[in-house]
Amino acid sequence: QVQLVQSGAEVKKPGASVKVSCKASGYTFTGYYMHWVRQAPGQGLEWMGWINPNSGGTNYAQKFQGRVTMTRDTSISTAYMELSRLRSDDTAVYYCARARNRDGYNYGYWGQGTLVTVSS
Amino acid sequence: QSVLTQPPSVSGAPGQRVTISCTGSSSNIGAGYDVHWYQQLPGTAPKLLIYGNSNRPSGVPDRFSGSKSGTSASLAITGLQAEDEADYYCQSYDSSLRGGVFGGGTKLTVL
């Protein structure tokens, strides 16, 4: 069965960077784009972007361009999302998500979420 | 402000039918892009409820149904149950933004 297992909670200071990992299992990692979605406390879902694990190609939401980097390590079926120059409003739960089809946006599979807290 | 507009809250008594609307524009829903719906229980990751406008993943009760028309979509829940109390989000693709977009979410309260 498809599983996405994310790294643990992080506490960072403003201006720092955070790197969240998402280890995939139960399917061919390179066959499906990996998306990242975040949710600030008490707020809605926000799409951040995707990475094509096969080619390494990425597509970032305009809001995060210049601050987010999505990478992958195909040898261990793991995707990464790094967000730099953190601000307090980056405090959120960050999810990796995989669609039902290769390049779709219908996320049938989600990681458990990683809480990133930005605080001085 | 979210690109897709949902009502902040809806409510209904057990057994009743409720609908949640999702209004977009000509660059997303109106352009023909699929709408997907998610249910999120407190403290958990979202769960795909409806994909491709009206399709249910296996395991999702047929009490949940989706539809789309023009620049809007709707999620209908019939035979409301206490366990349906959750937040619901619509999602689509936006060609102007060249990425995914979500609605702001709707909190369903079962009275």
Side-chain angles (χ1 to χ4, degrees):
Chain A
Q1 73 284 18
V2 174
Q3 278 196 307
L4 303 176
V5 179
Q6 298 182 221
S7 48
E10 304 260 15
V11 179
K12 295 292 182 180
K13 293 195 182 305
S17 298
V18 69
K19 191 171 186 177
V20 179
S21 68
C22 172
K23 182 169 179 58
S25 62
Y27 71 98
T28 302
F29 178 65
T30 52
Y32 296 81
Y33 289 16
M34 189 69 77
H35 296 244
W36 291 88
V37 175
R38 77 175 187 179
Q39 186 172 35
Q43 303 301 308
L45 302 171
E46 183 173 30
W47 181 79
M48 299 182 69
W50 55 250
I51 181 167
N52 177 347
N54 187 46
S55 65
T58 55
N59 179 29
Y60 303 141
Q62 193 170 12
K63 174 177 179 176
F64 300 104
Q65 283 181 7
R67 280 210 305 146
V68 70
T69 305
M70 296 178 188
T71 57
R72 90 292 189 212
D73 184 338
T74 57
S75 68
I76 55 172
S77 299
T78 299
Y80 302 91
M81 187 285 300
E82 184 171 20
L83 191 61
S84 63
R85 302 194 300 278
L86 290 169
R87 307 184 293 253
S88 58
D89 61 358
D90 290 317
T91 293
V93 175
Y94 290 77
Y95 294 101
C96 59
R98 200 213 85 175
R100 288 174 54 91
N101 52 311
R102 176 181 169 273
D103 57 358
Y105 286 74
N106 48 15
Y107 307 135
Y109 307 96
W110 293 73
Q112 82 276 19
T114 297
L115 176 61
V116 175
T117 302
V118 183
S119 173
S120 55
Chain B
Q1 270 89 334
S2 302
V3 173
L4 305 179
T5 301
Q6 298 179 233
S9 63
V10 298
S11 63
Q16 284 190 333
R17 178 181 187 270
V18 297
T19 61
I20 299 173
S21 61
C22 175
T23 303
S25 67
S26 58
S27 60
N28 41 68
I29 299 175
Y33 294 108
D34 283 343
V35 177
H36 318 297
W37 291 90
Y38 300 87
Q39 177 192 60
Q40 186 177 34
L41 299 171
T44 68
K47 170 189 171 185
L48 183 64
L49 210 56
I50 298 288
Y51 68 95
N53 307 315
S54 59
N55 300 292
R56 279 178 286 106
S58 71
V60 173
D62 59 7
R63 302 186 296 105
F64 295 91
S65 63
S67 63
K68 176 184 137 178
S69 177
T71 58
S72 294
S74 288
L75 172 71
I77 309 172
T78 59
L80 210 53
Q81 299 180 3
E83 67 204 49
D84 299 333
E85 192 160 284
D87 293 324
Y88 293 83
Y89 294 90
C90 62
Q91 181 207 21
S92 187
Y93 175 85
D94 190 283
S95 58
S96 294
L97 299 173
R98 283 185 269 183
V101 289
F102 284 97
T106 299
K107 181 174 182 57
L108 168 63
T109 301
V110 180
L111 302 171

